[in-house]
Amino acid sequence: MNFNGKWLCDERFLKYEPLNMLHKNSDEKRHKELEAEHPKDLKNVRVRFLGSFNITDNWDSVIMRFSADDYAKVKINGKLAAIGPCLGYSFNYYYNEIDITEFLKKGSNTVESDVTYTGLINRSDSSGDLRMGFIADFIGVKDEKETLIYATDESWKYTVLKMYPSNNTVGYDTQFVEDYDSRLEPTKNDFVPCVSMETDYIFEDQPAVSLQFYDIYPKLTEKLPNGGLFYDIGQEITGTLNITAKGMDGNKVLIYCAEETDDSELKVRYCMRCNCCYIDEWTLADGENTVEQFAYKAFRYFTIMPDEGVEISNVSITVRHNPFDDNACVIESNDEILNSVFEICKNGTKYGSQDIFVDCPQREKGQYAGDSTVTTASSLWLTGDGRLTKKAMENQAQSACVCKGLLCVAPGHVMQEIADYTYQYPILALRYYKFSGDIDFLRKNYETCLGIKEYSEKFRREDGLIVKLNDKVNLVDWPQNLLDGYDFQGLNAAPTKENNLDYPHNVINAYYIGFLYGVEEIERILGIISDGEADRTSTSFNKVFLNQETGLYVDSEISKHSALHSNILPLYYGFAPKENIETIADFIMEKKLCCGVYMAYFLLKALAKAGRYEDVYKLITSQDENSWYNMVREGGTTCFEAWGKDKKWNTSLCHPWASAPVSVLFEDILGLSLDGTKGESHIPEGLKIKVRTPMHGEIEF
C-alpha cells in the first residue's frame, strides 16, 4: 500500500540514517553498538502533529488511513478517533484504516496526532531505530468511489511535547513513567511548519485490525484518611486513565495503579509483583486541568492522591483490546468452578490481545511464539476472528530474516531466541488452516517450516537427535520452581560452551520430533511426499529416553530421572509406544499440575490424546494449590502467569498463556472443532452445559 501523504517527523531525526536493529541474540557486540549509536536526547520523544481540512461535499463516509512510528493517538475535532499502528518490522509495516465520519462536521475539521517514539529496545515497540513520524490520507467515499480529500504534507504543523519529563521506565524498559506537567502544554505559538522525509517502510497490502477502545467509569470505593481517593474498576483491565482536576499552579496529583490492594495508607500495591511500579506525578496549572494518559497499563485498582485543595472530577478509563464481543462465546454450566475458571481465562485472553498477542500487558508487552500456541487457540474460540492469529504467525515467520530458526519474540527489536517455541510453528499452521481453510497461507507456512528444518540440521547427530543449539535457549518450562526436577544442565541459561553439553535432553527433542510430524501433516495436505524423518527420529528418541524398566521417559541421555515434562510431550505428539500410554498417563495424574501454566496446555491435551477425558476435566476444575481455581480463590479476574500470586517472584496477574482450559474444553471435552464440525463429546457425569461459540452457535449438552 502506498500513501499519498508525506511522512512527517521531528526535524531532529532528519540528520540520522535508520539503525539496523536485526542481529543474532548471541551477537552481544552488535547490541552494545546499537545502544551506543542511539542519541541519548532522542528518547521519550513525544510530538504533536496538527492539521485541518474542510468538508464541503456530502460523503457517504470518510476514511482515515494512517501509520506512525512508534505509536500515535489521533483526535478528530478533539475526540479520540484512532490509536495505532500495530507493532511491526519496517519491511512489513502496518497501517490502520478508520471510518471517521462520526467525528466530522461541515466546514473546518482539525486533526491532532500525538506520536511517541520511546527510543528503547524492548518487546513492546519497534523503536530504538531512529525511525519516527506520522503519515495519513483522508479519503471521501461516495457511491463506493474513493477521492483523496486531504493528506499529511508540509502544510501541517508540529511541536515537540514537553509535558512528559520523566526518564524512568516501567517493567523491562516497556514504557516511560507517565509523569505529566500541565504547565508545559503547548500553545498555538509553539507549533512550527512540518518537515517530511523519505522513508524505507514497506507497508502491508491490507490494513491491520484496529483496536477496540471505549471509556468506562470506576466506582469511587473510599475516601482515604490521608486525602487519597481509592477506586476499584471491578476487574483487571488494560487501558489508560483520564482525570480532570482543578487546582493552583504547581499543585501535585500522584496517581497509583495496581493489580491488587494492600494494607498501606494508599491501599494499592502499586509496586506490583510483575516488576512494574505504577506511580505517576501530575503537576497542575492554574484552573481546570485534564490528563489523558498515553501508554496503557494493566490494573484493577488505583488511588489518586491530590495536594490539599485540589478537586478531582471526571475520572474515567479508556479500555483497549483487540475487537472482542463478550457474547460471542459463553458457557453456562451447573459447575460453578468451571464457570469461574472459564471466565478468568476468557478475560485474560481479551485483555492480553492488543495490537499483538502480548505475553502480559504490563512487564514485557511482547508477542512470544510459545505463548501464542496457547493464546491463539483461546482467541479463535472466543472471537471467531483469525486476523490477529494470522498476523502473529506472519510476524514470527518474518523473523527468519535474522535466523531461519526464528526468534521467539516477534515483531520488535529484542532479539530473543528460544528453541522450544520455534518447533511449535506447525501447531499454529495446522490450527489456522483448520479454522480458515486457507491453503495458500499454509503453503507459506510450509516454506517457513522448511527453513526451520534446514536450520536444525547442523545440530543433529547421526541418530537424528538434537544435541546442541548453540545460539538458542532451551526453556522447557517457566518458572524454574515448576520444572519437577528436570535434569539438564544449562536450563534457562544463556547458551555457553559449558552448558551446551554433548548429549541430548528430552524436551527439546520431543518438540523437534513434534515439529517433524507437523511438517509431514502439512505435506500430506499439500500433496507433497514426505521423507519419513519423523518416524526415524522418534525411534531414536524412544531408544535413548524410554526407560524400559519403569515405562517412563527420562530427562536426558545420561539421566535416570523422569520429570513430568519429559513424559507430557511424547504423549501429546503421539509417538509414545501404545503399551506405555497408560503408564505415562497414570504418572501424569500422579504428578498433576506440578508444571507451569504454559506446559499445562500440553499436559491437558496429552491426557486427552490418551483418552483420559475425565482426568482432563478433573484438572481443569481442580481446587488444588496448583490449579486455575486457585487463581479465582486468590481474587483473580484474569488468568495469572503462574498458579498463584506467590508461585513466581514476578508474577503477572494477567497472562493469557494460562488460558488453556478454553480450547481444551471445547475441543476435547465437548468434541467441537474450529472448522465448525462436531465430533464425540466426553461430558463428565452430572455436568450440564450450554455453550455458544462463533463457529457452532448455541449447543446444549
Side-chain angles (χ1 to χ4, degrees), residues 602-646:
F602 297 97
L603 185 154
L604 295 176
K605 298 292 282 188
L607 286 173
K609 288 270 184 79
R612 303 283 284 263
Y613 300 103
E614 186 175 331
D615 289 333
V616 172
Y617 190 80
K618 284 180 180 178
L619 291 180
I620 289 176
T621 57
S622 168
Q623 299 181 56
D624 291 347
E625 184 179 343
N626 284 14
S627 69
W628 282 277
Y629 187 69
N630 190 55
M631 304 177 197
V632 177
R633 192 161 48 213
E634 292 189 2
T637 59
T638 51
C639 49
F640 296 173
E641 186 177 8
W643 297 118
K645 294 177 179 178
D646 295 320

Side-chain angles (χ1 to χ4, degrees), residues 151-395:
T152 47
D153 60 22
E154 291 83 357
S155 69
W156 285 55
K157 293 184 177 181
Y158 85 103
T159 187
V160 176
L161 299 177
K162 301 176 181 177
M163 304 92 73
Y164 302 91
S166 180
N167 291 317
N168 298 323
T169 60
V170 174
Y172 293 168
D173 275 349
T174 309
Q175 64 192 68
F176 281 94
V177 172
E178 291 259 289
D179 290 351
Y180 190 89
D181 192 335
S182 290
R183 300 171 301 177
L184 301 178
E185 290 179 356
T187 66
K188 289 183 179 180
N189 293 332
D190 293 319
F191 285 85
V192 298
C194 277
V195 295
S196 65
M197 66 185 301
E198 296 295 324
T199 66
D200 60 351
Y201 296 97
I202 300 174
F203 288 101
E204 288 286 314
D205 292 334
Q206 298 295 323
V209 183
S210 295
L211 282 182
Q212 181 179 351
F213 58 90
Y214 48 90
D215 287 349
I216 63 171
Y217 298 89
K219 181 179 179 181
L220 173 59
T221 304
E222 187 178 346
K223 291 184 178 180
L224 303 177
N226 59 10
L229 305 173
F230 170 70
Y231 297 83
D232 180 2
I233 300 170
Q235 68 170 54
E236 178 133 353
I237 56 89
T238 52
T240 54
L241 278 171
N242 313 301
I243 307 170
T244 299
K246 187 176 182 180
M248 298 176 63
D249 187 271
N251 281 157
K252 304 286 187 182
V253 177
L254 298 178
I255 305 165
Y256 304 86
C257 296
E259 293 184 291
E260 55 189 319
T261 58
D262 62 17
D263 295 327
S264 71
E265 64 176 7
L266 294 168
K267 208 169 179 175
V268 291
R269 184 172 176 162
Y270 61 89
C271 284
M272 304 193 304
R273 298 174 190 270
C274 65
N275 199 32
C276 290
C277 195
Y278 283 160
I279 173 172
D280 303 311
E281 181 180 272
W282 179 21
T283 305
L284 304 184
D286 274 332
E288 189 170 87
N289 302 253
T290 297
V291 65
E292 298 175 353
Q293 295 190 323
F294 193 96
Y296 72 86
K297 300 178 175 73
F299 62 103
R300 171 177 175 172
Y301 306 97
F302 60 98
T303 291
I304 300 174
M305 189 71 192
D307 278 353
E308 187 176 353
V310 173
E311 299 176 15
I312 301 295
S313 61
N314 299 329
V315 178
S316 66
I317 303 104
T318 301
V319 179
R320 48 171 281 166
H321 48 73
N322 203 57
F324 196 100
D325 180 357
D326 285 311
N327 296 316
C329 183
V330 295
I331 70 165
E332 297 175 17
S333 83
N334 62 343
D335 187 336
E336 288 304 316
I337 291 178
L338 176 65
N339 295 341
S340 62
V341 166
F342 180 84
E343 194 64 21
I344 64 168
C345 293
K346 178 178 178 178
N347 286 337
T349 305
K350 175 180 179 178
Y351 294 113
S353 301
Q354 295 294 318
D355 302 294
I356 55 174
F357 289 119
V358 295
D359 68 322
C360 66
Q362 316 94 335
R363 186 180 59 242
E364 288 128 325
K365 299 184 179 180
Q367 185 166 259
Y368 275 79
D371 299 45
S372 292
T373 297
V374 183
T375 310
T376 59
S378 303
S379 176
L380 290 172
W381 279 108
L382 293 170
T383 68
D385 186 342
R387 292 174 294 175
L388 200 60
T389 293
K390 185 177 182 181
K391 178 185 182 297
M393 297 171 64
E394 289 172 333
N395 292 153

Side-chain angles (χ1 to χ4, degrees), residues 134-148:
F134 176 71
I135 192 169
D137 291 344
F138 297 82
I139 311 294
V141 181
K142 185 73 171 178
D143 298 330
E144 299 184 354
K145 294 182 179 179
E146 295 187 351
T147 302
L148 180 67

Side-chain angles (χ1 to χ4, degrees), residues 487-507:
D487 185 9
F488 176 69
Q489 293 186 46
L491 186 66
N492 301 315
T496 66
K497 181 179 179 181
E498 288 73 25
N499 66 39
N500 278 284
L501 302 177
D502 290 321
Y503 61 85
H505 72 102
N506 180 305
V507 167

